[in-house]
Amino acid sequence: MLELKNLNVYYGAIHALKSINLKINDGEIVTLIGANGAGKSTTLKTISGMLKPKSGEILLEGKNINQLSAPDIVKLGMAHVPEGRRVFAKMSVMENLEMGAYTRNDKGSIKEDIKKMFNLFPRLEERKEQMAGTLSGGEQQMLAIARGLMSRPKLILLDEPSMGLAPIIVNEIFEIIKDINKLGTTVLLVEQNANMALKLADRAYIIRTGEIELEGNARDLLKDENVRRAYLEG
Amino acid sequence: MEQIIQQLINGVSLGSIYALIALGYTMVYGIINLINFAHGDIYMMGAFVGYALTTFLGLGFIPSLIASMVACSILGMVVEKIAYKPLRNSSRISLLITAISVSLFLQYIMVYFIGPETRTFPNVLESNRITFFDGSVILDTKNIYILVITIILMIALQYVVHRTKIGKAMRAVALDKEAAEFMGVNVNKVISYTFAIGSALAGAAGVLVGIYYNTVDPLMGSGPGLKAFVAAVLGGIGLIPGAVFGGFFLGLVETIVSAYGGSVYKDAVAFAILILILLVKPAGLLGKNIKEKV
Ligand SMILES: Nc1ncnc2c1ncn2[C@@H]1O[C@H](COP(=O)(O)OP(=O)(O)OP(=O)(O)O)[C@@H](O)[C@H]1O
Ligand SMILES: [Mg+2]
């Protein structure tokens, strides 16, 4: 589905991503774990075309997308659910979902997809005319994910969906991520909540100061001594 | 009593014009946080397009109005592309200075090519005066035309902004550019459309003013431009209903002050009101200082 090859990204003089290699197969849930400032969001923004790499390759289904704009990448079937949810606060839930379908022109099936989102997130349906800014944090995260799904992505990038949410809501959101994946969407999940992410994912990458430190089967990493010490017990 | 009614009629006409110009200020501010000081001069250009079409081509009122709106929307997009877009990531102050330069450029390019003198806008609308109270209150059909056109344009704007895809994209970009881009919105295109719509409204205001006061000149944009800016801030900059409200409010205040205190003070009063309102409600009369949940 997606492959990053020797990806280098800079913010001015700051070398934020150092030769990142990463691969996501069709249908997988892959998680990218790391501490604050490790470069997780930078990785996602580079994949979705918001940042341009200095060198290296981003291949989406074998096609190099380095030079494509963010809107073009959305059209190719990738959705990015940004860190901090970033719902359109002064637009209704409904309008937020419509914005998610911005690159599509098939009005009829957009309506059907909105219905599907309401099945997946019944809480959103009850609030469909409410301004997104007045939703609770958990509801906003659900809306952000639903909005991302409205573009009918093959691959969805989720940037810290658990951020700032109560454990019970986080559980709910992770269950939904599992469902989304079962329905056929490949997932790249960025998390600081390593424990939960490793339990959910098939494979994992651990990023530290812009470099991939470790990669492997999620269940193996969950048992790994070093990983436990660095990311799970403290 | 009669005088108050008369001033209300005049105030609504003046307010319509301020409101139409204020909408462009507020929309552009909402989307790129720029006080577009050249906006008043777009309005002036609109008045001149109307003047040229009616005088030299003998076009009627509605065709001139539409042509002027189209011309101004193109001009607005060109100004944005040439002057503002290259500064997208620059500081707000350099953008502001650029806007002032564009304003002066438009004014003096007109002075250079057609001269500074005031010209007479032809009477393309026959004006029928309806009198009330034994002739002490005059309602000119022009007043009605101005108000009706303004209301039609505002309804159309409301429709575009709330019901169409591009309008929703405009609001999304105004709220969060990066998030809109994540949705696949071409932000540059949306900004360009915003300038087009705001400038079209200014163009309409230009033609309406030509019809109302019968004169146009290259520097006519600076006064109303500044007043419309005041109106936009009064109502709450970035808010479309705020611009409409501020425009009518200012128009009415101005005409009433001119009637009772002498027109010399009307600008001083306008700005005094602005300062007072901003002291009490910094976000403007319709603005709310509510924090969003994060
Ligand atoms: N716009 C920017 N300009 C300069 N440096 C930046 C910018 N954005 C991020 N950085 C730097 O790049 C590094 C990686 O940031 P990034 O946001 O990718 O981290 P992260 O892993 O997502 O962290 P967090 O868990 O806190 O979200 C950090 O050192 C950060 O300071
Ligand atoms: Mg981050």
Side-chain angles (χ1 to χ4, degrees):
Chain A
M1 174 67 66
L2 182 82
E3 192 169 1
L4 307 183
K5 285 185 179 167
N6 291 318
L7 203 64
N8 284 288
V9 176
Y10 290 77
Y11 289 110
I14 302 168
H15 195 173
L17 296 184
K18 299 163 192 159
S19 273
I20 298 278
N21 286 292
L22 187 149
K23 196 170 176 199
I24 303 172
N25 301 309
D26 284 10
E28 273 188 320
I29 301 183
V30 171
T31 182
L32 178 64
I33 297 167
N36 284 112
K40 305 181 295 294
S41 297
T42 304
T43 307
L44 292 196
K45 283 184 186 172
T46 310
I47 296 172
S48 62
M50 302 290 286
L51 293 171
K52 293 295 163 209
K54 189 150 201 175
S55 64
E57 272 190 295
I58 310 164
L59 302 170
L60 180 65
E61 298 184 303
K63 180 177 188 280
N64 185 313
I65 57 167
N66 282 30
Q67 291 313 318
L68 294 189
S69 68
D72 286 337
I73 293 174
V74 175
K75 283 179 207 146
L76 285 180
M78 190 192 301
H80 184 156
V81 180
E83 182 174 326
R85 318 189 247 281
R86 308 280 286 270
V87 294
F88 300 113
K90 290 183 183 165
M91 295 173 81
S92 68
V93 167
M94 203 68 183
E95 287 174 327
N96 268 272
L97 294 175
E98 287 167 8
M99 282 310 296
Y102 187 78
T103 52
R104 298 169 53 188
N105 288 313
D106 40 345
K107 271 198 178 152
S109 50
I110 290 175
K111 276 218 177 89
E112 279 169 31
D113 282 4
I114 290 180
K115 274 194 205 127
K116 280 186 202 157
M117 290 307 135
F118 288 153
N119 283 334
L120 204 55
F121 304 93
R123 284 214 253 167
L124 294 182
E125 181 161 28
E126 293 159 24
R127 297 167 172 77
K128 62 183 173 190
E129 298 305 331
Q130 200 173 317
M131 290 294 136
T134 65
L135 298 176
S136 75
E139 289 157 1
Q140 288 191 14
Q141 186 62 59
M142 291 175 192
L143 177 57
I145 295 174
R147 185 181 65 174
L149 290 171
M150 284 302 295
S151 67
R152 290 199 169 169
K154 297 174 212 157
L155 170 65
I156 190 163
L157 315 178
L158 301 168
D159 198 344
E160 297 200 41
S162 73
M163 187 197 248
L165 300 180
I168 183 163
I169 308 285
V170 176
N171 276 326
E172 202 176 323
I173 300 241
F174 273 55
E175 281 305 313
I176 290 165
I177 296 172
K178 209 189 272 175
D179 292 343
I180 292 168
N181 178 249
K182 278 200 193 113
L183 292 171
T185 310
T186 306
V187 177
L188 174 54
L189 170 69
V190 155
E191 265 301 337
Q192 284 200 47
N193 189 336
N195 192 21
M196 290 202 61
L198 287 174
K199 281 178 186 153
L200 177 73
D202 301 308
R203 289 187 309 110
Y205 290 81
I206 294 181
I207 185 170
R208 185 165 165 177
T209 56
E211 286 176 281
I212 298 291
E213 187 182 45
L214 211 59
E215 64 175 279
N217 193 301
R219 251 150 281 279
D220 298 341
L221 291 187
L222 203 51
K223 288 182 217 132
D224 185 288
E225 259 316 294
N226 295 325
V227 173
R228 293 204 70 86
R229 213 175 304 126
Y231 296 98
L232 299 171
E233 296 161 357
Chain B
M1 182 62 199
E2 287 86 351
Q3 209 192 349
I4 292 185
I5 295 174
Q6 184 67 61
Q7 294 313 323
L8 286 179
I9 292 171
N10 297 344
V12 165
S13 296
L14 187 62
S16 302
I17 287 159
Y18 287 161
L20 285 176
I21 309 175
L23 282 167
Y25 270 112
T26 233
M27 289 171 73
V28 164
Y29 185 86
I31 210 149
I32 56 169
N33 283 338
L34 164 71
I35 307 292
N36 180 15
F37 275 113
H39 190 60
D41 305 291
I42 303 266
Y43 147 86
M44 172 273 290
M45 297 297 271
F48 268 97
V49 171
Y51 163 78
L53 293 177
T54 48
T55 308
F56 304 120
L57 297 182
L59 285 188
F61 169 58
I62 297 289
S64 312
L65 184 80
I66 292 169
S68 163
M69 289 176 71
V70 171
C72 285
S73 64
I74 294 168
L75 179 63
M77 288 194 284
V78 169
V79 165
E80 193 275 328
K81 193 162 184 88
I82 294 176
Y84 304 146
K85 192 176 167 198
L87 299 176
R88 201 55 51 78
N89 296 317
S90 312
S91 68
R92 282 170 71 172
I93 192 76
S94 29
L95 208 56
L96 198 62
I97 291 168
T98 306
I100 294 171
S101 318
V102 172
S103 166
L104 293 172
F105 175 79
L106 290 176
Q107 287 174 15
Y108 289 98
I109 199 109
M110 289 302 277
V111 170
Y112 182 79
F113 282 110
I114 67 162
E117 59 276 9
T118 300
R119 284 144 203 272
T120 308
F121 202 99
N123 249 323
V124 280
L125 283 180
E126 80 285 17
S127 85
N128 290 317
R129 288 159 172 253
I130 308 163
T131 54
F132 303 93
F133 301 106
D134 303 324
S136 51
V137 174
I138 302 166
L139 176 63
D140 198 310
T141 40
K142 286 178 184 174
N143 296 110
I144 299 172
Y145 266 106
I146 290 178
L147 185 62
V148 168
I149 299 275
T150 302
I151 290 172
I152 291 172
L153 290 175
M154 283 171 183
I155 292 171
L157 178 68
Q158 202 64 11
Y159 178 82
V160 169
V161 168
H162 288 276
R163 293 274 175 271
T164 65
K165 193 166 172 175
I166 183 73
K168 286 172 191 171
M170 282 164 57
R171 282 155 61 214
V173 170
L175 290 167
D176 188 336
K177 267 186 205 56
E178 200 183 45
E181 211 169 346
F182 281 131
M183 303 300 109
V185 175
N186 181 338
V187 171
N188 284 328
K189 199 171 97 183
V190 170
I191 292 174
S192 187
Y193 279 134
T194 307
F195 271 85
I197 293 175
S199 304
L201 296 174
V207 174
L208 293 178
V209 127
I211 282 171
Y212 193 49
Y213 292 123
N214 292 110
T215 62
V216 291
D217 73 272
L219 305 186
M220 67 185 274
S222 38
L226 206 55
K227 297 290 183 45
F229 166 60
V230 170
V233 176
L234 272 181
I237 188 97
L239 302 173
I240 287 178
V244 174
F245 179 80
F248 282 110
F249 182 80
L250 196 64
L252 287 167
V253 166
E254 243 190 72
T255 44
I256 288 169
V257 170
S258 323
Y260 289 97
S263 50
V264 206
Y265 302 113
K266 68 175 202 281
D267 292 358
V269 171
F271 285 95
I273 289 176
L274 174 73
I275 291 166
L276 275 178
I277 287 176
L278 292 187
L279 282 175
V280 183
K281 289 205 74 187
L285 287 171
L286 302 192
K288 295 185 208 114
N289 295 321
I290 299 176
K291 280 223 167 117
E292 306 293 342
K293 273 189 198 145
V294 198

